[in-house]
Amino acid sequence: MRFAYLDDSGLGNIEDDPYVVVAGVIVNADSQIKPVEKRLGEIKEEFFSGNTPKGAIFHGVDIYQGQKHFSKHTFSFESRLKLLTQLAEIPKDFDLPVVMGAVDRRTRSAGNPKAVLRDAIKLASAQCVLSIELYMRSQGNENCFLVYENTNTYKSVIKEQHEYLRSEESREKSGPSFPLERIVETAHFAEKSESAMLQVADAAAFTFNRMFRKLGKGGEHKLLRGLSFLS
C-alpha cells in the first residue's frame, strides 16, 4: 500500500506570493515510513544538539525565515539552510517519488481573490493527483491513499475536487486519464505535528515555491537536488 502526502505553499497575498504550489511524496507504507521517521528524528536531534524543544516541527517558512523554534537570533542562516537541504534530500535518500503542481495566480482570470485562490488550489492539487494516479498505474495493482495537511480553510475544496476526479463525470470533462483507479478512498487530512511525512511534503512544497519565485539568499539549487519529481 502506498500513501501520498501533500502540502501547499504560496497561499499569501498574490503580490508577494503569486504561485500556489501543491507538492509531496509517495511512500511505501510497509517499508519506508518508519525509516524516514527515524531519519527526521536524527536530523532534529542534530540541529537542536539533543535539546529539541517540545512541539518543534519542520516547517519550511519558519526554518528559512528564522521563526519560532528556528529563531534567527539563535541559529545562523547557514545552519538553517543546511537543515532545509537535509529535509529536501530525504526523497532522494529514500527513493521517494515527488509530485508537484503549480499555478501562477496572476495568469488566472480576474475576479474575487478568494475565488482565484480556491481555483488555483484545485488545479495545483489536480496536477499532483494526476501524477500520482499515473505513477500508481505503472506499479501494477497497488493502490494509494492521499493525505493532505489539515487546513480548515480549503479542506472542503480539496475533498470536492477529489470526489469529482473519482467520478464518471470526470471522464467526460477532464479526459481519458480519469476517473481515478489506483487512488482510493476520500482525501484524508492530518496535522503536520502528527505526521513526519507531511513535514517532508512541506519541504518539497516550500522549495518548489521559492524556485518559481526565484527568491532568497541562494541555496535553492541545493534543495532541489533531492527532488526528482514526476511532474
Side-chain angles (χ1 to χ4, degrees):
M1 175 63 71
R2 303 287 178 110
F3 285 76
Y5 293 86
L6 302 172
D7 196 12
D8 57 61
S9 180
L11 307 189
N13 186 289
I14 190 171
E15 285 77 19
D16 300 323
D17 221 359
Y19 292 94
V20 171
V21 175
V22 177
V25 290
I26 304 172
V27 184
N28 186 310
D30 296 321
S31 62
Q32 292 177 315
I33 289 181
K34 287 189 175 181
V36 172
E37 289 177 338
K38 182 175 182 292
R39 177 62 179 141
L40 284 173
E42 293 169 347
I43 292 173
K44 190 176 290 185
E45 284 293 302
E46 176 187 346
F47 183 79
F48 289 109
S49 302
N51 297 307
T52 304
K54 184 178 180 180
I57 63 171
F58 294 127
H59 188 255
V61 171
D62 292 340
I63 297 169
Y64 196 88
Q65 295 184 355
Q67 303 173 156
K68 298 181 180 179
H69 295 294
F70 307 94
S71 172
K72 60 186 175 183
H73 302 298
T74 304
F75 303 102
S76 68
F77 175 76
E78 288 72 22
S79 67
R80 289 181 280 114
L81 180 60
K82 178 184 175 181
L83 174 59
L84 281 170
T85 303
Q86 289 176 308
L87 296 174
E89 287 179 342
I90 283 177
K92 178 186 67 177
D93 293 342
F94 290 89
D95 195 26
L96 308 179
V98 176
V99 292
M100 184 272 294
V103 176
D104 185 346
R105 283 184 277 169
R106 296 170 298 186
T107 66
R108 312 303 293 169
S109 301
N112 183 292
K114 290 185 178 180
V116 171
L117 178 58
R118 182 175 63 247
D119 290 344
I121 291 171
K122 289 175 66 174
L123 181 55
S125 176
Q127 292 170 3
C128 269
V129 169
L130 177 58
S131 293
I132 296 165
E133 173 69 20
L134 295 179
Y135 174 79
M136 292 307 303
R137 291 181 189 181
S138 74
Q139 301 302 299
N141 295 323
E142 201 170 3
N143 293 325
C144 184
F145 284 89
L146 300 189
V147 182
Y148 290 83
E149 183 192 11
N150 190 31
T151 166
N152 291 327
T153 307
Y154 296 105
K155 181 188 293 187
S156 62
V157 172
I158 292 172
K159 289 180 75 71
E160 177 185 339
Q161 171 82 338
H162 186 76
E163 292 309 310
Y164 163 74
L165 295 176
R166 297 181 65 206
S167 70
E168 286 298 321
E169 181 184 4
S170 65
R171 187 195 308 275
E172 302 169 5
K173 295 184 177 180
S174 300
S177 295
F178 299 102
L180 302 176
E181 298 174 357
R182 293 288 174 249
I183 296 175
V184 296
E185 275 273 357
T186 185
H188 298 270
F189 297 83
E191 301 293 337
K192 201 169 294 180
S193 59
E194 300 171 330
S195 171
M197 301 311 308
L198 281 175
Q199 296 175 52
V200 177
D202 173 277
F206 173 80
T207 300
F208 284 126
N209 183 276
R210 297 198 70 82
M211 178 189 74
F212 283 117
R213 295 168 65 193
K214 299 180 181 178
L215 291 177
K217 302 178 182 178
E220 276 72 15
H221 65 287
K222 295 181 181 178
L223 306 185
L224 288 166
R225 290 175 186 169
L227 302 181
S228 300
F229 54 101
L230 298 177
S231 62

